[in-house]
């Protein structure tokens, strides 16, 4: 049985990986918004499918073998790989705008949106944390499998929505 100290280290590590996953996911959301604004709907759809396939396959395998930490590392890695694929295909980040009035306006309008996205991410992942705590690695792997299969089934409608977005 793991000591209390080992359990504390594991929980702290999981929170760090969760924070990384949130940061990388938000970078992906920004990249996705940039591509949509440039009317790259087909590219957005193909990259969405890529991130879904990677996070499903890698996430389920890593969750089953390494538990929650493995799942979070695989999810963050999936976004990193997808961003790298977009970058290598020629998609570039726009240069940041350095204007105080624009930055203030973005912060004022964007802060509630960011807070809601962060809370939504927590809501969509807190169940996995509890399942790991209560049921362990195997239970988390089984749960992650069904949730990722459900997300994968939603790719078709999401792809159609991406392509038809401006209409």
């Amino acid at each position: 049985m793991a000591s209390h100290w080992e359990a504390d280290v594991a929980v702290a590590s999981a929170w760090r990986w969760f924070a990384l996953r949130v940061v990388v996911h938000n970078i992906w959301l920004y990249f996705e918004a940039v591509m949509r604004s440039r009317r790259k709907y087909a590219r957005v759809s193909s990259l969405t499918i890529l991130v879904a396939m990677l996070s499903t396959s890698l996430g389920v395998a890593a969750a089953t073998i390494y538990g929650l930490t493995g799942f979070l590392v695989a999810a963050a890695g999936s976004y990193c790989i997808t961003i790298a694929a977009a970058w290598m295909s020629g998609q570039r980040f726009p240069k940041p705008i350095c204007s105080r009035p624009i930055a203030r306006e973005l912060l004022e309008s964007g802060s509630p949106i960011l807070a809601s996205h962060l809370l939504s991410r927590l809501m969509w992942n807190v169940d996995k944390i509890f399942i790991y705590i209560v049921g362990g690695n195997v239970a988390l792997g089984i749960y992650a499998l069904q949730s990722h299969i459900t997300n994968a089934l939603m790719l078709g409608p999401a792809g159609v929505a991406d392509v038809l977005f401006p209409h």
Side-chain angles (χ1 to χ4, degrees):
M1 178 152 207
S3 72
H4 182 63
W5 180 82
E6 289 172 329
D8 287 346
V9 169
V11 169
S13 174
W15 277 110
R16 282 188 211 106
W17 286 110
F18 177 73
L20 176 66
R21 184 195 177 282
V22 168
V23 167
V24 174
H25 182 258
N26 280 307
I27 291 170
W28 163 248
L29 290 176
Y30 173 73
F31 209 33
E32 181 183 22
V34 168
M35 287 186 289
R36 284 178 192 248
S37 72
R38 294 178 179 168
R39 300 185 182 273
K40 306 280 185 180
Y41 304 113
R43 186 172 290 163
V44 169
S45 294
S46 63
L47 291 171
T48 300
I49 291 169
L50 175 64
V51 77
M53 287 175 17
L54 287 171
S55 64
T56 299
S57 58
L58 297 176
V60 169
T64 303
I65 298 168
Y66 300 108
L68 179 62
T69 302
F71 174 79
L72 294 171
V73 169
S78 298
Y79 286 113
C80 289
I81 292 168
T82 303
I83 291 167
W87 185 270
M88 289 189 307
S89 71
Q91 187 62 43
R92 299 289 185 250
F93 284 110
K95 292 181 181 178
I97 299 170
C98 297
S99 163
R100 281 188 178 209
I102 292 174
R104 183 177 300 119
E105 183 181 341
L106 286 173
L107 285 172
E108 288 173 0
S109 63
S111 295
I113 296 167
L114 176 62
S116 70
H117 278 284
L118 288 173
L119 289 173
S120 132
R121 286 288 143 209
L122 180 60
M123 180 187 75
W124 285 106
N125 290 288
V126 74
D127 54 342
K128 294 173 185 87
I129 295 167
F130 286 126
I131 287 172
Y132 174 72
I133 291 168
V134 173
N137 290 354
V138 175
L140 177 61
I142 292 168
Y143 182 80
L145 177 64
Q146 65 81 25
S147 68
H148 277 284
I149 288 172
T150 302
N151 287 337
L153 291 174
M154 297 305 292
L155 280 176
V160 170
D162 283 341
V163 171
L164 298 178
F165 180 72
H167 305 293

